[in-house]
Amino acid sequence: MSTATEARSLDQGVAPSRYARGWHCLGLAETFRDGKPHAINAFDGKLVVWQDSKGELNVLDGYCRHMGGDLTQGEVKGDDIACPFHDWRWGGDGKCKAIPYARRVPLRAKTLRYETAIVNDQLFIWMDPEGSAADRSILPIQLPGLAEGEYADWSWNITEIEGSNCRELIDNVADMAHFYYVHFSFPTSFRNVFEGHMATQFMESTGRPDKAEGYSSAGSDLFLKSEATYYGPSYMINWLWVDYKGFKTEVILVNTHIATSPNSFTLQYGITVKKPEGMDDATVAFIAEKYTKMFGEGFLQDVHIWKNKVAVQNPLLCEEDGPVYQLRRWYEQFYVDKADVVPEMTERFEFEVDTTKANEFWHAEVAENLAKRAAEEAEAGRPVHH
C-alpha cells in the first residue's frame, strides 16, 4: 500500500498572470462589418471592434478613458466610436477626435489601440504586454486558393471554456495517444517539429471500426493524413487530407483561442473544404457539411476533456507520450519578455513517436470489442455488422 510520501504529487501550479505575446484571432472579419460596435472579451477586459467608412476594422480597449463608459454599447459615428456615457468620439488610431460639448480635446486623450491584420478572412490583433510594435513577419500564412474561391465558405463555431488555462489546448500538439481514446482513431505515424514561432504535428491515422463518433464516424474506411501547425501562441491551421473509400478530399480546420482570464478562454474553430474540380456547388456544399459535422464532432471531444480536466504542471509521462515538456518550453517564449527568450525555446526540435507497441495493443482491443459486439448481436437475434 503506497503512502502519501511515496505517491507522486499532482502539481496544478498557478496560471500565468500575463497574456501571450503575438497575433490573436478575433473571428471572421465579415462578422464585424455591419456598422455596429462589437464586444470581444479578452485579456481580463473587453475590446471594441468596428468598421470605419474606408472599410478598415479598428480595435480599441472597450472602456472610455473619460469616465469608463462601455464603448461596445456606444454607436459608430462617422469613422469613430462614440461613448454612450458622454459621447466622446474615439478614432481607430486610439485618439479622441471630438467631445461635442467641449471647446477642445485634452492633449493626453488617447486610449489603447491594437494593430490589426486580416488573414484567411479572419481578423487578427497584435498583443504584447511590453507594448512592442506588431511583428507582421510572424503572421499566420495566407492559405493558397482561399481568396480565389477554391474552398467552400467557412463553417465557424465559438465556445467558452471556463476553469482552464489556454495552454491545455497546446499540449494536444504532442499527445499521440489521445487520438485513440478521445477521437477513436489509430495514429500509425506521429511526429513533431518545433522551430521559431511554429510548432507542428504530423500524423497519419485510420478510423476505429468499433466506434462511430467524431473523426472515426467513417470507421476503418477512413484514412487521414494530418499536418497541424501553430503559428504563434493561439492560432493553428490543420490541413487534413481525407481518403474515404478512394474518394479524396482536402479539409482545413482552424483552431484559435483568446484568453479571457488566466483560467478561461474563448475557443473558435472554423472548417472549410476544398472544392473538387468539376463538382457543382450543391454537391460541394453537401460534402462540406458532412466533413464539417465529422471534424466538428471530433473537435468537441477535445472540448469536453478541456472543460473537465485539471492543469498538471508535472505530468508523469511514458515514452509514447511525446515531447510534452519540450513543447511547453517552446510555448514559454510567448509568456516572457522578448529579451528573456532563450535559444532552447526557439531552436529546431524534432521527435517521432514509435507507435508500434500502442497499435499492437489497440488493434487487439478493437478486435476484442468487435467480437464481443458480434456475440451480443447474435445472442439477441440481430444481424451482425462490421
Side-chain angles (χ1 to χ4, degrees):
M1 181 176 179
S2 66
T3 66
T5 55
E6 293 172 339
R8 184 179 176 88
S9 64
L10 184 66
D11 179 9
Q12 296 188 34
V14 177
S17 58
R18 70 189 290 170
Y19 296 101
R21 177 184 57 258
W23 290 100
H24 299 263
C25 178
L26 302 188
L28 290 176
E30 280 305 308
T31 61
F32 305 108
R33 298 190 183 281
D34 58 0
K36 300 176 183 178
H38 292 262
I40 296 290
N41 293 320
F43 316 132
D44 256 337
K46 186 183 289 188
L47 312 179
V48 60
V49 186
W50 81 97
Q51 179 180 254
D52 61 27
S53 62
K54 304 180 192 68
E56 298 292 327
L57 292 176
N58 305 286
V59 182
L60 302 179
D61 184 88
Y63 295 103
C64 182
R65 292 315 193 244
H66 173 221
M67 294 288 283
D70 186 346
L71 297 177
T72 70
Q73 296 179 8
E75 185 180 343
V76 177
K77 295 183 178 180
D79 288 334
D80 308 325
I81 182 70
C83 179
F85 199 1
H86 300 92
D87 202 28
W88 283 40
R89 315 283 177 85
W90 297 91
D93 60 0
K95 297 178 181 179
C96 182
K97 301 299 184 181
I99 305 171
Y101 62 86
R103 289 190 181 93
R104 63 183 65 88
V105 174
L107 293 176
R108 298 176 63 184
K110 190 173 182 180
T111 189
L112 179 60
R113 167 187 175 266
Y114 291 86
E115 293 188 63
T116 63
I118 294 178
V119 182
N120 300 325
D121 304 327
Q122 296 144 31
L123 174 63
F124 289 79
I125 60 167
W126 173 262
M127 205 289 291
D128 182 2
E130 294 183 273
S132 68
D135 185 350
R136 297 183 182 274
S137 70
I138 59 172
L139 273 166
I141 65 165
Q142 174 66 35
L143 293 166
L146 185 69
E148 292 74 24
E150 295 177 14
Y151 290 81
D153 292 340
W154 286 106
S155 171
W156 202 259
N157 302 270
I158 304 173
T159 186
E160 302 297 329
I161 308 293
E162 298 289 340
S164 290
N165 184 266
C166 53
R167 191 184 68 182
E168 299 295 336
L169 286 76
I170 309 300
D171 281 348
N172 267 15
V173 173
D175 189 350
M176 181 273 294
H178 93 285
F179 283 94
Y180 176 81
Y181 295 102
V182 179
H183 300 307
F184 309 127
S185 63
F186 295 108
T188 55
S189 173
F190 193 93
R191 181 169 65 96
N192 286 126
V193 177
F194 313 143
E195 186 172 19
H197 70 291
M198 296 187 295
T200 302
Q201 173 199 96
F202 300 91
M203 182 181 68
E204 294 182 0
S205 66
T206 59
R208 280 177 60 177
D210 63 329
K211 296 287 185 178
E213 303 172 53
Y215 296 166
S216 193
S217 59
S220 57
D221 292 319
L222 179 76
F223 173 78
L224 183 67
K225 182 179 178 181
S226 169
E227 180 180 324
T229 297
Y230 265 96
Y231 293 87
S234 63
Y235 184 83
M236 184 196 77
I237 300 176
N238 188 183
W239 288 267
L240 297 154
W241 293 275
V242 186
D243 186 337
Y244 178 60
K245 295 183 177 180
F247 183 75
K248 298 179 180 179
T249 311
E250 180 186 329
V251 180
I252 295 175
L253 167 67
V254 162
N255 155 23
T256 183
H257 66 271
I258 192 161
T260 52
S261 78
N263 285 300
S264 63
F265 57 94
T266 300
L267 176 66
Q268 302 192 49
Y269 63 97
I271 298 171
T272 184
V273 176
K274 190 168 187 178
K275 300 174 182 177
E277 190 174 342
M279 189 171 288
D280 64 88
D281 290 345
T283 306
V284 170
F286 176 79
I287 294 171
E289 182 183 353
K290 290 295 183 183
Y291 280 120
T292 294
K293 184 175 186 295
M294 182 176 78
F295 288 107
E297 287 176 351
F299 197 69
L300 288 174
Q301 290 163 336
D302 280 322
V303 171
H304 179 73
I305 296 291
W306 296 328
K307 285 184 173 181
N308 291 279
K309 75 182 296 296
V310 297
V312 183
Q313 306 301 325
N314 62 334
L316 178 62
L317 304 177
C318 65
E319 183 179 337
E320 285 77 10
D321 281 326
V324 174
Y325 283 104
Q326 291 87 345
L327 173 64
R328 290 183 175 186
R329 190 64 169 147
W330 166 84
Y331 189 56
E332 189 180 355
Q333 67 178 288
F334 307 112
Y335 286 85
V336 298
D337 289 349
K338 190 72 173 177
D340 295 328
V341 175
V342 296
E344 64 185 70
M345 296 177 183
T346 58
E347 288 176 341
R348 185 176 179 88
F349 173 86
E350 295 188 44
F351 187 89
E352 184 164 3
V353 176
D354 185 348
T355 64
T356 306
K357 173 63 174 68
N359 274 275
E360 286 176 359
F361 173 78
W362 289 337
H363 281 278
E365 183 176 65
V366 167
E368 183 179 336
N369 291 343
L370 291 174
K372 182 179 178 181
R373 181 191 301 171
E376 290 173 348
E377 291 180 344
E379 184 178 350
R382 298 191 301 270
V384 178
H385 298 289
H386 295 289

